[in-house]
Amino acid sequence: FVSLLVGTLAVAGFAAQGDKPHEIRLFDLTTAHGVVDREPFRPTQLFAPDDNPIYLWFRAEGCTTGTTITSLWFYLETDPPLRFREGVVTVDRPDDWGQFNFELGPGKRWPFGEYRVELRVGDALMAETTFRVSASETPRDDSKRRDAAPSVP
């Protein structure tokens, strides 16, 4: 039911100093209706079935040029949860934020229910967040942000 995942990334390019290994953190995950001026536009965790695309914005620390970040998108109303898309981006310039977005094909609608998006570097889960699709009208400002960002050496 999904046709396109676009990942754009402008993530931190902080190199490790000396012989110390650098730590990577992905945090402040925020689902939104867009990204404007490097910030989430109309952040929310509640979307309508016709909201398209849905953006996942995040902050990053410790990523160097060449770091690969993977987003995994899950529909949680099935047992087990259905992984319906994966997106991959490679850091290509220094910055402290990034975004993935998911766009349905023409005429498609998001099924009602709960969704989860995970961000991974290699096999390590770096952060995740959830959002909901319901028949309710999408609120204009829900700035809830979730982060589950353990540092990984």
Side-chain angles (χ1 to χ4, degrees):
F1 67 89
V2 206
S3 65
L4 178 66
L5 176 68
V6 178
T8 303
L9 190 60
V11 176
F14 304 115
Q17 296 182 16
D19 291 358
K20 295 180 182 176
H22 70 277
E23 292 183 1
I24 295 174
R25 278 190 349 125
L26 305 178
F27 58 102
D28 283 349
L29 277 64
T30 304
T31 50
H33 290 274
V35 174
V36 176
D37 295 328
R38 303 168 41 105
E39 294 291 329
F41 174 70
R42 289 184 51 211
T44 185
Q45 288 182 304
L46 179 64
F47 293 90
D50 292 327
D51 287 338
N52 195 31
I54 292 176
Y55 287 79
L56 175 67
W57 179 94
F58 60 94
R59 290 202 181 280
E61 290 179 353
C63 295
T64 57
T65 299
T67 300
T68 299
I69 300 173
T70 301
S71 70
L72 302 174
W73 296 64
F74 295 89
Y75 180 62
L76 301 179
E77 302 300 323
T78 59
D79 187 19
L82 172 67
R83 184 173 86 184
F84 60 89
R85 189 58 79 189
E86 179 176 316
V88 177
V89 294
T90 301
V91 175
D92 63 357
R93 66 182 181 267
D95 213 334
D96 64 353
W97 69 280
Q99 66 97 8
F100 286 91
N101 64 70
F102 193 87
E103 183 172 356
L104 299 173
K108 303 282 184 177
R109 295 169 47 108
W110 289 94
F112 295 141
E114 291 282 329
Y115 293 79
R116 180 177 73 235
V117 184
E118 298 177 356
L119 294 183
R120 294 180 173 269
V121 173
D123 292 332
L125 175 63
M126 303 301 294
E128 63 184 351
T129 192
T130 59
F131 65 90
R132 173 174 265 304
V133 174
S134 84
S136 303
E137 185 173 317
T138 301
R140 289 287 172 182
D141 185 16
D142 174 4
S143 58
K144 286 186 181 178
R145 292 181 178 181
R146 294 182 160 206
D147 60 337
S151 295
V152 176

